[in-house]
């Protein structure tokens, strides 16, 4: 079932979740199964699975020399999506990136996802690569998320690279939104203009970057509506677990944390998990009361705190 259909048919605010493939060779797939099985009693409508491009690693050899190696640390997105959908009967949303992938590789991956019955993707630019990826003469790339959305939209019309003969492939596409502005956008207006371009190109819903101040989300939704963006805008929520995230979350995700939350975490860092859980619970309660279509949890594969929150709303 398409995410857009889940949203249009919902009688109340939905919950969705995002998981991360385990590090290569470090954790068995059963860990992912365990997370999904813990979510099953709460009727998850869909689960997102992140995608990760390869990165450059410096490896020390046995003779003491250093060599460079291109390494994909978190493979398995397509396989996990297949398991979620075909083993557990939950719709899977595969993340698809511009960075680190050519249009040809993207097309191949989308055809394979379609073969597995996956109907939903989240189209993202992705993080910048830490190496200069060489593109073959016969390859092309998507520079921005809107380019990726346009490529997928062409596949809906049966238009493939190099006139490949294949039946039309129709994915329900989501894209990212940024209530506190994407760090590469010059201002909020341009931030919203970029989103409008993605929706005009074929995106059917938006999942926001994490935020900790609901007023910023609703102000963002109002600004998007004023700009003519009418697709569902799903708030993304992260549950803080440690006081160290006071530094890591703003640095990695370019967001602000409210003064009240920061003050609590600074005063009682040993109680960070409880503080974070209660803050997120208050956010979720307010989002539901004010009519958010869905609440999307960035699990980072730590499901326990989220389960404690969602059980109060089922």
């Amino acid at each position: 079932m398409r995410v857009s259909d889940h949203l249009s048919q919902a009688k109340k605010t939905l919950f969705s979740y995002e998981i991360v493939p385990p590090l290569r060779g470090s954790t068995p797939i059963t860990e992912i199964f365990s997370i999904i099985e813990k979510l099953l009693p709460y009727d998850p409508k869909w689960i997102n699975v992140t995608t990760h491009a390869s990165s450059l690693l410096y490896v020390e050899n046995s003779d003491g020399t250093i060599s460079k190696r291109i390494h994909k640390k978190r493979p398995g997105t397509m396989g996990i999506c297949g398991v979620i959908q075909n083993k557990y009967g939950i719709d899977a949303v595969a993340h698809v990136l511009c960075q680190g992938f050519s249009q040809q590789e993207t097309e191949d991956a989308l055809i394979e996802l379609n073969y597995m019955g996956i109907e939903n993707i989240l189209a993202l630019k992705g993080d910048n690569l830490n190496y200069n990826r060489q593109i073959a003469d016969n390859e092309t790339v998507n520079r921005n998320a809107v380019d990726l959305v346009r490529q997928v939209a062409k596949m809906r019309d049966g238009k493939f690279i190099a006139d490949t003969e294949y039946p039309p492939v129709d994915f329900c596409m989501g894209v990212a939104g940024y209530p506190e502005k994407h760090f590469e956008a010059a201002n909020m207006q341009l931030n919203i203009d970029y989103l409008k371009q993605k929706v005009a190109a074929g995106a059917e819903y938006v999942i926001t970057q994490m935020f900790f101040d609901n007023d910023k989300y609703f102000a963002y939704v109002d600004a998007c509506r004023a700009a003519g963006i009418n697709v569902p805008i799903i708030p993304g929520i992260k549950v803080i677990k440690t006081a160290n995230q006071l530094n890591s979350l703003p640095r990695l995700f370019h967001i602000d944390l409210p003064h009240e939350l920061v003050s609590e975490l600074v005063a009682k860092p040993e109680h960070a998990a409880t503080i974070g859980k209660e803050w997120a619970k208050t956010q979720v309660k307010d989002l539901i009361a004010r009519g958010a279509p869905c609440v999307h949890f960035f699990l980072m594969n730590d499901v326990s705190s989220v389960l404690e929150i969602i059980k109060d709303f089922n």
Side-chain angles (χ1 to χ4, degrees):
M1 188 170 175
R2 299 166 72 90
V3 167
S4 56
D5 291 333
H6 282 299
L7 292 168
S8 65
Q9 296 175 21
K11 304 300 183 183
K12 62 179 182 179
T13 300
L14 303 178
F15 291 140
S16 60
Y17 309 91
E18 184 168 305
I19 61 176
V20 181
L23 287 169
R24 185 174 193 153
S26 66
T27 308
I29 192 67
T30 50
E31 179 183 282
I32 299 296
F33 295 167
S34 175
I35 292 170
I36 297 167
E37 287 162 4
K38 289 174 182 175
L39 292 171
L40 281 175
Y42 301 97
D43 190 27
K45 299 303 182 185
W46 71 86
I47 295 176
N48 284 41
V49 184
T50 62
T51 298
H52 302 263
S54 299
S55 60
L56 177 65
L57 298 178
Y58 289 89
V59 180
E60 184 172 4
N61 302 314
S62 58
D63 61 359
T65 59
I66 303 294
S67 59
K68 294 188 292 185
R69 180 183 303 167
I70 306 301
H71 180 73
K72 190 168 185 179
K73 293 190 292 185
R74 295 184 184 271
T77 297
M78 286 194 289
I80 293 171
C81 284
V83 169
I84 289 173
Q85 191 147 314
N86 295 301
K87 176 180 172 67
Y88 293 103
I90 303 168
D91 287 307
V93 180
H95 288 200
V96 181
L97 307 181
C98 297
Q99 298 282 12
F101 301 91
S102 68
Q103 288 186 335
Q104 288 76 8
E105 290 170 319
T106 296
E107 184 176 282
D108 289 342
L110 291 170
I111 290 172
E112 187 167 342
L113 286 168
N114 179 68
Y115 177 75
M116 292 190 295
I118 309 300
E119 296 183 85
N120 302 286
I121 64 169
L122 191 71
L124 303 164
K125 180 179 180 180
D127 296 333
N128 291 326
L129 303 181
N130 67 349
Y131 70 100
N132 184 22
R133 184 176 187 268
Q134 297 299 312
I135 301 297
D137 291 339
N138 64 339
E139 288 186 322
T140 52
V141 296
N142 293 308
R143 299 294 179 185
N144 296 293
V146 67
D147 302 317
L148 175 55
V149 173
R150 288 172 181 147
Q151 179 185 358
V152 181
K154 288 180 180 178
M155 295 175 69
R156 289 174 175 168
D157 297 329
K159 298 176 182 177
F160 295 84
I161 297 170
D163 298 322
T164 304
E165 292 187 7
Y166 195 84
V169 175
D170 185 10
F171 288 97
C172 176
M173 277 187 288
V175 292
Y178 299 87
E180 298 180 58
K181 189 181 79 63
H182 190 280
F183 72 99
E184 292 181 331
N187 56 36
M188 181 57 79
Q189 183 58 57
L190 193 59
N191 183 57
I192 292 174
D193 288 346
Y194 288 150
L195 179 61
K196 189 172 183 178
Q197 291 175 26
K198 291 188 284 187
V199 172
E204 298 178 56
Y205 67 96
V206 178
I207 295 179
T208 75
Q209 177 62 279
M210 68 180 69
F211 59 87
F212 294 87
D213 182 344
N214 285 5
D215 287 341
K216 291 184 177 181
Y217 162 75
F218 286 108
Y220 178 68
V221 172
D222 288 344
C224 288
R225 300 298 182 237
I229 301 170
N230 295 312
V231 299
I233 301 176
I234 298 170
I237 296 296
K238 169 68 180 166
V239 183
I240 285 182
K241 192 171 183 180
T242 71
N244 290 336
Q245 290 174 310
L246 282 175
N247 298 316
S248 62
L249 292 179
R251 183 180 73 253
L252 295 172
F253 299 103
H254 308 279
I255 58 174
D256 289 329
L257 300 181
H259 176 69
E260 182 183 350
L261 175 59
V262 172
S263 297
E264 285 190 67
L265 290 169
V266 169
K268 299 178 180 179
E270 68 278 12
H271 298 301
T274 300
I275 293 168
K277 184 173 59 181
E278 290 303 314
W279 188 274
K281 185 183 295 185
T282 300
Q283 277 192 276
V284 172
K285 184 177 180 180
D286 180 59
L287 288 166
I288 293 173
R290 295 166 72 176
C294 176
V295 176
H296 185 74
F297 289 98
F298 299 106
L299 291 183
M300 302 299 287
N301 297 5
D302 177 23
V303 72
S304 57
S305 56
V306 171
L307 289 176
E308 292 185 45
I309 293 169
I310 62 176
K311 69 181 181 182
D312 293 336
F313 299 100
N314 278 268

